[in-house]
Each structure stands twice: as structure tokens, then as C-alpha cells.
Amino acid sequence: MKICLRPCGPDDEPFLYQVYASTRRDEMAAWGWNEPQQEAFLRMQFNAQQRAYEWQFPGAEHSIILCDESPAGRMIVFRNDAELRLTDIALLPEYRSSGAGRFLVKELQAQAGASGLPLRLRVAKDNDGARRLYERLGFSLTGESDTHFTMEWLPASKAEDAARADHDSEATAEQ
């Protein structure tokens, strides 16, 4: 499967909503709401998420994930002098567990490694599959909120520096 990205455009909003809604369908079904209630709630949440991302991560790259040239999901990456941040990645159900997410995260790791910057992300506590993937890819838990874990991947040189600093602070504490 060929996996690539293309920039989001104004015509992509219906697809972006479809991707977002697909990530919340199981949750919605559990609440027992009818279709119009679910639709109204999902639209409100989608719009709020879009505004929050724009406010928190101005200038982030918003991309459509393509698998064999078919729209399969979305990815948002924020870059600055201190980090690369995987702000959001979501795939339609039929593309989950296909290797597409893993491929794209590894690409971001390569970019972070080349620039010497950490790659950071947040993952919902109830998204065990994604959390396990990130752990397999070398991400470490750095914090948590009521709903999310924060995780970080460090390029080799940064990881060595962090390990050395931990060792040095332990040695100082022992003296």
C-alpha cells in the first residue's frame, strides 16, 4: 500500500468530519442517543476541536492521509524550534491496523531525528492500541491528565543526553 500526505483544503471538511465521527461512533452508540442527537453532538465537538487546534497550534500542517491514493485519514503536525508535535492522527476504521499510522509516525521520527528535536504527542487513555503502538516505536510516558497520556520520543543524541543528566542527578543526590 502506498501511503502519502496531501495538504488539507477547504473542500476536505466533509471528509475530515467523517474521520472525526468515525473515531467517536462506538462512544456515541453506548450513550443510546438517536441519530439526530449523535449528529448534533458530533458536529459541535468537531467544530470545537477544529477551533482548539487552530488556537493552540497556529501554523500546524493539516494533511489528508492517502492510502493508494484514496483518502484514509487525517494528520496534524505542529513544528517549532523546540519540538515536533503530532497533534492529531486519525484513520477511517477500514485503514486502522493497516500499518499506515505506524509508517507516518516513523516518518515523523526520522524528521525529528534529523532535526535533533523531540517528537511529542498526546493519546487518549482509552486508546490502548495507539498507546501500545507508540510504546513499540520508542515513545516514553511523560505525563497524564484525566483523559490523556503525554508521550515523547527523543532522537538518539537527545536520549543519551537525558540519560546522562538523570545519571548525573542521581550521583549528585547520593553524595
Side-chain angles (χ1 to χ4, degrees):
M1 175 170 37
K2 180 183 174 199
I3 303 162
C4 62
L5 300 173
R6 71 161 173 78
C8 285
D11 295 341
D12 290 316
E13 187 162 328
F15 175 72
L16 294 172
Y17 173 76
Q18 177 188 358
V19 172
Y20 175 79
S22 78
T23 68
R24 307 278 311 264
R25 287 292 176 203
D26 291 343
E27 177 185 5
M28 294 290 96
W31 292 353
W33 291 354
N34 64 35
E35 279 297 316
Q37 289 171 318
Q38 290 181 38
E39 178 71 17
F41 179 80
L42 287 170
R43 282 272 170 211
M44 179 185 66
Q45 292 292 296
F46 171 74
N47 291 331
Q49 183 189 63
Q50 296 294 95
R51 285 191 306 274
Y53 284 155
E54 289 296 326
W55 179 75
Q56 291 175 317
F57 305 102
E61 298 168 9
H62 294 250
S63 302
I64 299 295
I65 300 168
L66 301 172
C67 292
D68 291 333
E69 299 184 27
S70 295
R74 78 123 170 238
M75 186 165 84
I76 302 171
V77 178
F78 178 72
R79 301 166 193 273
N80 64 27
D81 294 340
E83 70 177 356
L84 267 69
R85 181 169 295 268
L86 178 55
T87 304
D88 192 16
I89 186 168
L91 292 160
L92 292 171
E94 58 268 30
Y95 294 99
R96 293 178 196 151
S97 300
S98 69
R102 178 183 181 84
F103 173 82
L104 292 167
V105 173
K106 288 182 73 111
E107 288 286 309
L108 285 175
Q109 287 175 306
Q111 293 171 26
S115 62
L117 295 174
L119 175 57
R120 297 183 176 123
L121 57 83
R122 287 176 5 124
V123 61
K125 285 185 171 181
D126 63 356
N127 193 342
D128 294 329
R131 184 184 43 77
R132 284 193 305 271
L133 170 64
Y134 298 137
E135 288 171 346
R136 284 192 308 270
L137 292 174
F139 283 80
S140 300
L141 185 67
T142 58
E144 66 182 280
S145 69
D146 290 342
T147 58
H148 288 79
F149 293 114
T150 54
M151 301 183 84
E152 177 179 73
W153 177 84
L154 297 172
S157 62
K158 293 274 188 194
E160 292 163 7
D161 292 346
R164 196 171 16 266
D166 286 346
H167 175 68
D168 291 348
S169 66
E170 289 171 8
T172 303
E174 291 173 2
Q175 293 175 357

